[in-house]
Amino acid sequence: MHFDAIAPAHAQWSSELRPGRTGLVITRGDAGRVVAPMRWGLPASAFPASGRKGVGRTTLWFRELWGRDRALFAPAHRCLVVLDCFALPEGASGKRTRCHYGLDDQPIFGWAGVWLRTQAGSGYAGFVGSVNAADGRCAPEPMLLGPHEYEAWFGDDISAAAEIVSRLDPLPGLYREYTDIPWGADRES
């Protein structure tokens, strides 16, 4: 299997992720990597040092987590969010459209994240970084990992994992497909 993980016999999840929906996540278990369905989003209680009362998180910047909530970066909390593509807004404010991204040679890939089990269930947030795009722009994008990085991401070497989510170059083979669909037009009310 692509992620070298044990999959559950049955799992209910959404193929189109949005905050609050359930996606597939790879975690580190006692017997190896495990696929688990989880809700996208971590509660505000997961970030006691942030000072942002009542604000949950769906994405994280490494520099924020490292500086204030380092315990959440421990190997037991690191995960990979399974994706086949993702979308970001493109264009000027008020005129943004959906732009789809994926990897040319990988039908599925991992987005670096952290997960946590809470009273409300298990949830996750993914890392974003200011990745230098091929066109010279520097914009927040999901920190995608190649299969060659999975072992280091799940490993005990915290420095190696930190280097992965703080890099500036995107994975090779990242493509963009522009659309005319207004950003947010297909969002559920």
Side-chain angles (χ1 to χ4, degrees):
M1 186 173 165
H2 180 79
F3 294 101
D4 191 25
I6 301 164
H10 297 87
Q12 292 188 349
W13 56 281
S14 173
S15 61
E16 185 174 346
L17 292 179
R18 295 178 190 268
R21 283 193 181 174
T22 299
L24 292 180
V25 176
I26 312 298
T27 64
R28 177 178 160 171
D30 293 337
R33 298 179 198 156
V34 178
V35 179
M38 280 187 210
R39 188 179 141 279
W40 185 9
L42 291 173
S45 61
F47 305 95
S50 72
R52 297 172 63 179
K53 302 220 184 296
V55 178
R57 304 292 294 272
T58 56
T59 59
L60 301 165
W61 290 87
F62 170 72
R63 66 180 179 265
E64 292 174 322
L65 193 64
W66 189 255
R68 293 185 295 242
D69 298 296
R70 192 178 295 198
L72 195 53
F73 195 68
H77 292 293
R78 287 185 229 138
C79 68
L80 288 174
V81 182
V82 179
L83 298 176
D84 62 358
C85 67
F86 61 94
L88 294 172
E90 184 72 35
S93 182
K95 297 180 181 180
R96 294 183 179 189
T97 58
R98 284 179 69 89
C99 186
H100 295 267
Y101 294 77
L103 292 172
D104 288 326
D105 62 346
Q106 293 181 50
I108 59 173
F109 46 90
W111 175 21
V114 294
W115 75 283
L116 191 63
R117 186 172 290 120
T118 68
Q119 290 177 338
S122 297
Y124 67 90
F127 284 101
V128 293
S130 294
V131 177
N132 294 320
D135 62 6
R137 68 190 177 92
C138 190
E141 290 184 7
M143 296 305 296
L144 306 179
L145 277 65
H148 65 283
E149 296 173 302
Y150 298 165
E151 193 65 35
W153 179 245
F154 285 114
D156 290 330
D157 185 347
I158 200 164
S159 298
E163 187 176 312
I164 289 171
V165 291
S166 57
R167 69 170 179 246
L168 296 176
D169 296 319
L171 281 180
L174 185 69
Y175 67 81
R176 286 194 297 188
E177 290 181 1
Y178 297 97
T179 73
D180 293 331
I181 302 167
W183 181 254
D186 59 346
R187 303 244 180 225
E188 296 171 348
S189 316

